[in-house]
Amino acid sequence: MIIVGITGVLGTGKSTLSGMLRDKGLPVIDIDELGRQASRSPEVVTAVEKAFGSAFVKNGSIDRDAMKELVFINPQALKTIEGIIHPVVRGEMCRSVRSFSVSGAKTVIIDHPLLFETGLDKK
């Protein structure tokens, strides 16, 4: 199976290209969507509450606005939240790739804005 990574900064057309490929029938894994799903998972919410306090949890999910404000001014907080969320997202991405492989997909597209920063390009 061929795994193709789409990456780039905000506004470069990653989602547009992914949508076009999805429309052509290719399986696409959207890492941003997996991150949004992870931010609602009990495992992640519990870890965030333990690391940062209940002010960063809202309605059973990470309060993304509060978290954005914190990580903007605190690089260590960014590393901490990435250490909580990235493994969950990576695990779900790997499960999705395996599932597509088992279903016979020849190519899988991964839309990942931090492909190089997270080291996924080497895997």
Side-chain angles (χ1 to χ4, degrees):
M1 173 179 10
I2 297 171
I3 300 174
V4 177
I6 299 174
T7 191
V9 296
L10 185 66
T12 57
K14 295 179 303 295
S15 296
T16 300
L17 178 58
S18 293
M20 292 167 70
L21 295 170
R22 186 179 286 116
D23 290 347
K24 295 288 183 188
L26 290 166
V28 175
I29 300 168
D30 182 340
I31 296 300
D32 283 342
E33 179 56 31
L34 294 182
R36 286 187 287 279
Q37 292 171 9
S39 73
R40 295 186 299 268
S41 79
E43 162 191 7
V44 168
V45 171
T46 299
V48 166
E49 190 165 23
K50 183 177 179 183
F52 299 103
S54 60
F56 293 91
V57 174
K58 182 177 174 182
N59 300 324
S61 174
I62 295 173
D63 183 339
R64 294 170 66 91
D65 292 331
M67 189 58 66
K68 284 179 201 174
E69 286 183 33
L70 175 65
V71 300
F72 185 73
I73 62 170
N74 184 336
Q76 184 55 48
L78 177 61
K79 288 180 183 179
T80 300
I81 192 69
E82 287 176 343
I84 294 168
I85 292 181
H86 285 185
V88 174
V89 170
R90 203 170 13 257
E92 187 54 39
M93 181 198 64
C94 290
R95 280 187 285 282
S96 294
V97 168
R98 278 193 301 275
S99 176
F100 286 127
S101 177
V102 168
S103 69
K106 303 275 188 253
T107 304
V108 173
I109 309 300
I110 300 177
D111 180 341
H112 194 323
L114 299 175
L115 182 74
F116 295 106
E117 294 84 348
T118 59
L120 185 63
D121 60 305
K122 292 173 181 58
K123 295 180 191 292

